[in-house]
């Protein structure tokens, strides 16, 4: 069992609530302390919550297509606000349209996200990656 | 002061108007009388209410896609492409505009120009303004509807209706609860009274504009009685403001009998309640939404889901069907993918539209059930509002009498928990505070028990999650593997 | 001498055998005992009758494509690809082999090698021979069936069954009337007695091989009672020769109620007649063919037709469904197109398979009708044969008691004229010489009249032609435009 | 009204009978004297029938995919047997697989067919072409 705190939320003007509720249930069951900000979360709200709760990771969702616009700059803003060591994940239907996922992943990796996920991702796999990444971050 | 369901007076409306029109510069171009004149000159073929009427009379099902991109020329080209196969067209609005974030919409327009493709998930009609919207109507040869998800849609309505759009989707509940987090219900209902009153003014000026409350809500395991109750309330609110052409919607659940019963009962119940509340002389139609929850990623599988939606729309005899696309699970569809969805739907629709009658006998009991549930809930809403539907709606959500599963709004209780039964119909696992009668509760409980016995597990939240994923994973009932 | 439905004696069979095996050089490799030994070692997962049994028990619908190409490696690769999604597999035989034109098949093989792609419409199993066929079974991990259309399929059966195929499609009527022009019915029935006897010998040696008469016949407006009558006769002929695993087939007509009733009545009637004629201890299953007539060219529309077929197969509870592809109207599908058809079918199938029960009430009257028609016809066939089903079948075709619409054989009267009714069910417009009772005739006539009144035209051959084209043109009933 | 005789049939080992029956009805109604050989017609049967009936055209169908093999050489064989002036049409699913129709048409044109048709062809259009081609042939 781990006791890491993670922040969840759907960024921007995005109202897609279902995946978010499932992620909350899933990570809670996996033993994380989950701070779920729900839908329509701004970058600052994510960061405020992470600072407040001492979170080790932020898991950003974007489903509605504006991810490219909404997600840009979050890593820089985290660093600005003193969150140097944060694990930053993003997942969902990240861009407008049916796109090649490789290109989308590269786009978001280069924005500073540690990992980028498609909607069809297997959540058990994410769990493993997350605990690895958190361990590495703690060690490093 | 609580909101009341009362037709806005001209004075009230005119007092609000300047503020609405000045909320973004393009509001200044709106001229109601010029809009009315333009509508009067519109050919029949471009009028939404006419198309709906003709379809119902001919017992045909109209096909309508969703579509909207950031830039005007691209948007018109897209609609022109789709008009080769669709019966009626949309202009789907982007998500920034829906939240009145016109600055961000502008950024999206600019970045789309740079990128050479749309970075917005819809057409930002307010930013483009009246002239641009008018061009859509002028250059597209079929009726066009504004489809969005906007809690405060007053400016959008002023601009697009003056531009010549002949149908406007949404409502104070259905465009709040599933689409927002913190907008008070009272506020959105008030703002939609304005929209409905605007439509009522067009009506009074001899211009019929169709209004369509958004039926599917969260699109996720919504039991028919709940979406029906909300649709009927929104219909009543619209009627009061002078709206006369109303299309009530329903999102496919997946069980054949329940879905057909839903369309029949929606039509019957709406007529009953509208008349019981003293309205007459309205034009009522229905819209069936192909599966609104998570889609399978594989395009062939998506075609099957689309086709099943088209099949049930035809067998249920809906006036209109909203068509999904093989790209649904992945992203906003290209024009071609959108056409594919329409073609598949068109084929199955016309193959089945003559076969409605034979199914009537088996849907009667389910119609009866939905009727009973809706009547119970609507009576409770009316009682909560002490006779007033607007007050009633606000109080009913606060009390959990109305409750939409998986909706993001903090004004929604979220205590109602749906689950599929053994045949895939949506039943209730937790009634929350919805005041259903004992027999109805016993029926739901028995149905859920039947399934849990089949699966050898207690009804639980995991079962609900399994049902949420089920269609995207190639089934209807989310059985354990 | 007329043919009789009597189990071939070992002596009769052994006398025929050398001639069969020597009709093409590859026949020399066949060794029955070695074949039996190979079958005994086959894992359960590769046995067709086992898969059918399990599916019926689990109330699942097995998915099976059609597939065959000229060259062995390509054919195996194709089946391996399809086995990722299909439950049971085919090896579809080319049309030269079906006519025993092995010389031409050889030319096709050679030219295909040169061209680098298949110029044959199937896999020429006889030319490739036993070793090659064995490789298919060895390298494909699911049960494989021979699917063809061969009036004299004796050598093909000897080779493929010895090679390890566990199911064999066809029959003396169903692989003659729709597939040939001049082969006498007596001849093809005789040759299929040989095939069935061969299967019976495997059965006696402890190796169960499934047999599947070809249900859809001409695939074009065949009324269910006619294909049922023929399927049941072929079942009886097979049982007599010792076959014990029988799958009876039916090609989708397009009307929901008629199609579900057809599958139910097929199962019931077959069991009834088989038992009435003194057979027991047989394993009976059904196969539903997705629409077998002309397909729409547009692939999205084809997906809708495929999906509707998958839907009805599930709702009817067939044991197996034969899957079409989005390439159907154009040409032999690529492996990918074939997979697409399977994926779409799989999705809709599992979405609907739990919903069968609710439809039962509305299909009963149609089941009753089909039962009455089939019983009338079968009694007439038996009478024509003075108690013998083989003689009866031959005489019944000569007299037009059995009559398949649009079949090419000169031994088929072609007087029966089907047409769709107002809901798209297949009814009769001209009864030809089929001895239906007066009430049944009146029912058909009333149904046809109903449609002709709706359309304001007399029933006529143009109406039939319109119905032939209808699905490929995006509808079910071929209404005038 | 014209009184040309035309020969119809489905070539090779092909059993597809439905289109053939419709073509017979269609051309008969259009006023042609139709000699329909039905399905599974060999090249020689086509030619015998054309000679016997003094036909002005042969309309070959091939649906089952072996068209490429079955149809090759028919023009040469016609000429050999003295049918110099015959209009030769072919239509159906002419090759194996879903192929680009342009390539298929060229293939069959180069085999000596005057016109090549897809299954989706509009028959009224064929009627016009046929009467033009017959007129031209008669004139030439
Ligand atoms: C239901 C739905 C809606 C409902 C939402 C109700 C609600 N409030 O929740 C309604 C009808 C309201 C709606 C509205 C809109 N929608 Co919508 N919607 C869907 C739909 C059909 C299903 C979403 C869903 O609930 N899936 C089920 C859940 C369980 O899956 P999920 O959301 O994908 O979440 C999972 C994974 O993505 C992953 N995941 C998500 N985030 C993260 C983060 C991390 C770190 C990890 C590891 C994993 C992960 O895990 C989650 C749990 O398994 C999808 C298409 C689809 N998927 O089939 C479109 C879709 C998301 N919607 C879309 C759009 C565009 C809209 C609209 C803008 C309208 C429009 N233009 O069509 C509006 C949005 C308005 C707004 N302000 O946001 C698009 C987005 C397009 C794009 N990206 O290119 C989609 C893809 C449909 C499409 N193809 O056009 N929608
Ligand atoms: C019904 C059918 C059958 C029935 C036929 C019953 C019968 N005896 O008639 C059955 C089930 C028996 C059958 C068997 C086979 N079939 Co089949 N069948 C079809 C199907 C579904 C419809 C054909 C039909 O009746 N269409 C309706 C009529 C009105 O249209 P039509 O035949 O195309 O004819 C019109 C036009 O083509 C045109 N036309 C035709 N010829 C000509 C000539 C001229 C000059 C002109 C102007 C016009 C013209 O006008 C006609 C009238 O409108 C087609 C696919 C499709 N089209 O959807 C496959 C199809 C033709 N079959 C096919 C095949 C391969 C076979 C089999 C070899 C089995 C197999 N491997 O799958 C066997 C053939 C065995 C044999 N010896 O021939 C393939 C051919 C593939 C290819 N070319 O690449 C098709 C295309 C299916 C596919 N995509 O795989 N089949």
């Amino acid at each position: 069992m781990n006791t890491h705190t993670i922040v969840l939320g759907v960024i921007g003007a995005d109202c897609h609530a279902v995946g978010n509720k499932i992620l909350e249930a899933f990570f809670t069951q996996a033993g994380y302390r989950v701070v779920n900000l729900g839908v329509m979360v701004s970058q600052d709200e994510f960061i405020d919550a992470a600072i407040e709760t001492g979170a080790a990771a932020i898991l950003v969702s974007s489903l509605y297509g504006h991810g490219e616009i909404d997600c840009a700059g979050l890593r820089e803003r985290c660093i600005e606000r003193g969150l140097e060591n944060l694990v930053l994940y993003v997942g969902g239907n990240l861009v407008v349209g049916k796109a090649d996922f490789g290109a989308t992943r590269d786009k978001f990796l280069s924005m500073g996200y540690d990992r980028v996920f498609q909607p069809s991702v297997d959540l058990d796999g994410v769990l493993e990656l997350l605990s690895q990444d958190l361990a590495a971050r703690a060690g490093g | 002061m609580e909101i009341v369901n009362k037709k806005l007076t001209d004075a009230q409306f005119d007092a609000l108007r300047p503020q609405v029109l000045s909320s973004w510069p393009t509001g200044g171009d709106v001229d109601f009388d010029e809009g009315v004149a333009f509508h009067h000159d519109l050919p029949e073929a471009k009028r939404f209410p006419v198309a709906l009427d003709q379809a119902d009379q001919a017992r045909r099902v109209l096909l309508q896609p969703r579509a909207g991109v950031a830039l005007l020329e691209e948007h018109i080209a897209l609609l022109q492409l789709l008009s080769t196969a669709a019966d009626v067209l949309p202009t789907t609005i982007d998500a920034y505009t829906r939240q009145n974030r016109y600055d961000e919409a502008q950024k999206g327009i600019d970045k789309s120009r740079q990128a050479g493709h749309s970075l917005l998930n819809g057409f930002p009609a307010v930013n483009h303004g009246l002239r641009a919207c008018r061009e859509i109507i002028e250059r597209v040869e079929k009726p066009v509807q504004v489809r969005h998800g906007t809690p405060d849609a007053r400016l959008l309505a002023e601009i697009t209706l003056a531009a010549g759009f002949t149908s406007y989707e949404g409502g104070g509940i259905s465009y709040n609860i599933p689409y927002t987090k913190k907008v008070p219900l009272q506020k959105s209902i008030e703002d939609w009274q304005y929209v409905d009153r605007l439509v009522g003014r067009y009506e009074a000026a001899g211009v019929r504009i169709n209004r369509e409350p958004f039926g599917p809500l969260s699109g996720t395991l919504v039991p028919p009685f709940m979406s029906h109750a909300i649709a009927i309330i929104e219909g009543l609110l619209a009627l009061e403001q002078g709206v006369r052409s109303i299309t009530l919607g329903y999102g496919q659940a997946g069980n054949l009998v329940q879905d057909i019963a839903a369309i029949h009962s929606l039509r019957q119940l709406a007529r009953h309640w509208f008349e019981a509340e003293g309205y007459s002389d309205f034009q009522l139609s229905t819209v069936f939404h192909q599966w609104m929850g998570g889609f399978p990623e594989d395009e062939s599988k998506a075609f099957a889901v689309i086709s099943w939606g088209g099949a049930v729309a035809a067998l249920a005899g809906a006036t209109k069907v909203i068509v999904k696309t093989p790209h649904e699970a992945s992203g906003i569809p290209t024009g071609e993918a959108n056409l594919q969805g329409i073609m598949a739907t068109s084929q199955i629709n016309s193959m089945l539209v003559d076969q409605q009658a034979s199914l009537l006998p088996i849907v009667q009991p389910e119609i009866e059930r939905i009727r009973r549930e809706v009547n119970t809930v609507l009576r409770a809403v009316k009682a909560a509002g002490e006779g007033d539907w607007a007050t009633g709606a606000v109080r009913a959500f606060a009390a959990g009498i109305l409750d939409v599963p998986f909706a993001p709004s903090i004004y929604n209780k979220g205590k109602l928990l749906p689950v599929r039964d053994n045949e895939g119909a949506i039943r209730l696992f937790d009634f929350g505070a919805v005041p259903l009668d004992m027999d109805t509760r016993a029926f739901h409980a028995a149905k859920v028990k039947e399934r849990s016995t089949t699966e050898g597990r207690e009804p639980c939240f995991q079962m609900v999650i399994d049902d949420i994923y089920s269609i995207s994973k190639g089934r209807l009932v989310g059985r354990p593997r």
Side-chain angles (χ1 to χ4, degrees), chain A, chain B:
Chain A
M1 268 293 127
N2 66 70
T3 49
H4 285 294
T5 299
I6 61 174
V7 175
L8 293 184
V10 186
I11 199 166
D14 192 335
C15 73
H16 290 91
V18 182
N20 170 264
K21 292 191 184 185
I22 290 183
L23 293 177
E24 175 177 358
F26 179 81
F27 284 107
T28 304
Q29 204 187 313
Y32 285 94
R33 210 162 73 78
V34 175
V35 178
N36 186 7
L37 305 176
V39 304
M40 298 189 166
V41 181
S42 69
Q43 294 197 353
D44 279 332
E45 286 173 303
F46 273 114
I47 296 172
D48 292 345
I51 293 175
E52 231 167 76
T53 63
I58 296 180
L59 277 62
V60 177
S61 294
S62 176
L63 285 311
Y64 73 155
H66 294 180
E68 219 170 323
I69 301 178
D70 296 337
C71 296
L74 177 59
R75 173 62 85 186
E76 290 78 3
R77 194 113 189 83
C78 284
I79 296 171
E80 262 173 42
R81 301 214 24 212
L83 293 173
E84 298 277 343
N85 220 4
L86 202 74
V87 172
L88 212 53
Y89 281 9
V90 67
N93 301 84
L94 293 171
V95 298
V96 165
K98 180 165 185 162
D100 168 54
F101 181 63
T104 302
R105 185 178 42 216
D106 291 347
K107 199 176 275 174
F108 282 79
L109 287 177
S110 77
M111 285 184 201
Y113 292 86
D114 294 306
R115 297 194 187 270
V116 186
F117 300 97
Q118 288 180 281
S120 58
V121 61
D122 168 42
L123 295 181
D124 290 320
V126 177
L127 215 54
E128 255 173 60
L129 292 172
L130 184 59
S131 74
Q132 281 169 28
D133 289 348
L134 288 171
R137 214 51 69 95
Chain B
M1 209 190 69
E2 276 185 300
I3 186 171
V4 294
N5 177 34
K6 185 123 199 32
K7 188 173 191 164
L8 298 186
T9 63
D10 284 345
Q12 286 173 315
F13 186 83
D14 290 336
L16 290 166
R17 202 156 186 248
Q19 178 208 325
V20 170
L21 293 182
S22 64
S23 61
W24 188 255
T26 52
D29 297 336
V30 174
D31 176 343
F32 180 79
D33 295 329
E34 192 276 341
V36 168
F38 179 80
H39 274 281
H40 277 304
D41 286 346
L42 270 185
E44 292 257 303
K46 293 191 182 187
R47 296 177 190 223
F48 225 100
V50 173
L52 291 163
D53 220 27
Q54 288 173 346
D56 258 350
Q57 244 141 59
R59 296 178 146 277
R60 286 190 55 228
V61 185
L62 298 173
L63 312 188
Q64 184 177 26
R66 291 189 180 80
V69 289
L71 305 179
L72 180 64
E73 277 307 318
E74 284 76 356
H75 183 65
I76 291 176
L78 177 59
L79 293 192
Q80 285 171 339
L81 173 69
L82 298 178
S83 79
T84 59
D87 297 302
V88 288
L89 294 166
T91 285
T92 301
I93 305 300
D94 74 288
Y96 293 135
T97 301
R98 294 169 184 218
Q99 303 295 323
N100 314 104
R101 301 192 190 175
Y102 308 122
D103 282 321
E104 286 172 79
Q106 194 55 50
K107 238 198 281 175
I109 295 176
D110 298 342
K111 287 201 176 180
S112 300
R113 281 223 176 83
Q114 283 162 28
H117 60 92
S118 178
L119 290 176
L120 288 179
N121 54 21
F123 179 77
V126 169
N127 290 60
H128 283 303
L130 192 139
R131 220 12 270 159
C133 290
R134 178 67 59 82
E135 245 189 88
I136 297 172
I137 304 303
E138 282 168 344
R139 291 170 56 193
V140 171
E141 298 308 317
K142 290 191 170 159
V144 194
Q145 179 187 41
V146 185
R147 297 189 73 85
H148 47 135
T150 313
D152 175 1
R154 294 173 298 171
L155 178 59
L156 180 65
E158 286 279 9
I159 291 174
T160 53
L161 298 186
F165 282 77
T166 50
S167 177
Y168 201 75
E169 198 196 21
I173 303 169
S174 63
Y175 268 8
N176 176 338
I177 300 298
Y179 280 98
T180 73
K181 184 155 116 184
K182 292 179 188 166
V183 178
L185 200 53
Q186 159 139 9
K187 167 80 169 74
S188 59
I189 291 181
E190 221 169 86
D191 290 342
W192 275 90
Q193 285 184 328
Y194 181 99
V195 171
D196 284 330
R197 190 69 207 95
L198 178 63
V199 172
R201 285 193 162 200
Y202 276 101
E203 182 77 39
V207 174
R208 175 150 296 189
I209 286 167
N210 171 254
R211 283 275 295 108
E212 178 186 333
F214 177 64
L217 303 169
S218 62
T220 307
L221 301 178
V222 181
F225 80 85
M226 185 55 72
S227 51
H228 282 18
I230 292 169
I232 290 168
I233 294 169
E234 289 196 350
L236 289 169
L237 299 180
L239 284 164
E240 175 62 24
Q241 302 300 329
V243 172
R244 282 299 168 266
S245 170
I246 297 184
T247 306
L248 297 190
Y250 168 73
Q252 179 176 27
N255 173 279
L256 176 65
V257 170
Q258 185 172 48
D259 284 335
I260 295 178
I263 288 295
H264 285 292
S265 60
L266 181 55
R267 215 187 277 261
Q268 293 165 10
L269 283 161
R271 181 167 306 284
H272 166 81
W273 279 93
F274 291 175
E275 285 171 356
E277 293 293 307
Y279 303 101
S280 58
D281 187 30
F282 50 82
Q283 179 193 342
L284 177 67
S285 48
T286 57
V287 52
F288 183 84
H289 292 252
Q290 290 179 349
W291 176 241
M292 286 293 290
F295 252 65
E297 209 184 353
D298 178 86
E299 294 195 18
S300 305
K301 295 187 165 196
F303 269 116
V305 178
I306 290 167
S307 299
W308 182 232
V312 178
L315 292 172
T319 317
K320 186 172 86 170
V321 57
I322 305 289
V323 173
K324 290 260 173 165
T325 83
H327 285 186
E328 178 63 13
S330 307
I332 302 271
T334 57
E336 288 64 37
N338 218 328
L339 263 186
Q340 291 179 320
I342 302 171
M343 296 306 243
T345 305
S346 147
Q347 173 78 27
I348 201 149
N349 230 297
S350 47
M351 279 170 64
L352 299 189
V353 79
D354 293 322
Q355 299 183 42
Q356 293 166 15
S358 46
L359 288 148
L360 288 180
I362 54 173
V363 298
Q364 282 307 332
E366 192 70 26
I367 291 179
E368 214 24 75
R369 257 186 309 266
I370 296 172
R371 200 201 313 257
R372 182 166 171 169
E373 292 164 341
V374 170
N375 287 338
T376 306
V377 170
L378 283 181
R379 279 193 287 262
V381 172
K382 194 171 179 184
E386 294 160 71
D388 186 276
W389 291 104
T391 312
V394 174
R395 292 184 188 166
F397 268 99
I401 296 169
L402 294 173
D403 195 351
V404 176
F406 302 101
S409 168
I410 58 172
Y411 298 97
N412 182 66
K413 275 260 187 249
K415 293 294 176 211
L416 190 74
L417 261 191
V419 74
R420 293 194 186 278
D421 70 15
N422 242 349
E423 297 211 349
I426 297 175
R427 308 296 178 193
L428 297 181
F429 157 44
D430 187 329
F431 301 95
V434 180
L436 295 171
D437 62 59
M438 281 305 149
D439 285 359
T440 300
R441 281 163 196 260
F443 171 79
H444 283 269
K447 281 290 181 184
V448 175
K449 178 115 183 54
E450 201 174 276
R451 170 172 172 195
S452 75
T453 307
T454 306
E455 296 183 4
R457 59 171 174 173
E458 287 304 301
C460 53
F461 190 61
Q462 187 57 44
M463 199 183 259
V464 182
I465 291 182
D466 290 343
D467 283 350
I468 289 173
Y469 282 126
S470 63
I471 285 188
S472 67
K473 295 201 172 161
R475 359 173 88 218
L476 180 61
V477 185
R479 311 266 189 216
R481 310 253 169 173

